[in-house]
Amino acid sequence: ISLALTQRSYEAAKDGAHALKGGSASVGASQLTQIATRIEKSSYDTLRLRSIQLIDDLNQSATRAASEVERFLEHRKRNAGS
């Protein structure tokens, strides 16, 4: 998505955002889901004007979501041995 936005391939960014929306919703990453939805629903002009901020928001949210998933898996792994 970030690369597509950088390259002004807005349809590809929207397609990626649609896929991310479903995947992030399935793991409960609501903030990431909201950002993906915002990208998917944005006009090309909005994506062009706000791409830097959207990429930053997307990266920050993805990092937080990945950390939360890792913490969940570690917790689950520790408790499986109990």
Side-chain angles (χ1 to χ4, degrees), residues 3-5 8-10 13 19 35 41 43-44 52 55 64 73:
L3 180 60
L5 288 172
R8 296 183 180 193
S9 299
Y10 301 127
I35 294 167
K41 291 184 176 184
S43 69
Y44 290 171
I52 293 171
I55 291 168
R64 280 192 297 272
L73 292 174

Side-chain angles (χ1 to χ4, degrees), residues 29-65:
S30 58
Q31 186 177 31
L32 192 54
T33 303
Q34 290 172 359
I35 294 167
T37 300
R38 193 170 34 182
I39 292 169
E40 184 182 27
K41 291 184 176 184
S42 291
S43 69
Y44 290 171
D45 283 340
T46 299
L47 292 176
R48 181 178 54 82
L49 294 170
R50 302 206 55 222
S51 63
I52 293 171
Q53 184 62 51
L54 289 167
I55 291 168
D56 188 46
D57 292 348
L58 184 64
N59 288 336
Q60 288 180 22
S61 184
T63 299
R64 280 192 297 272

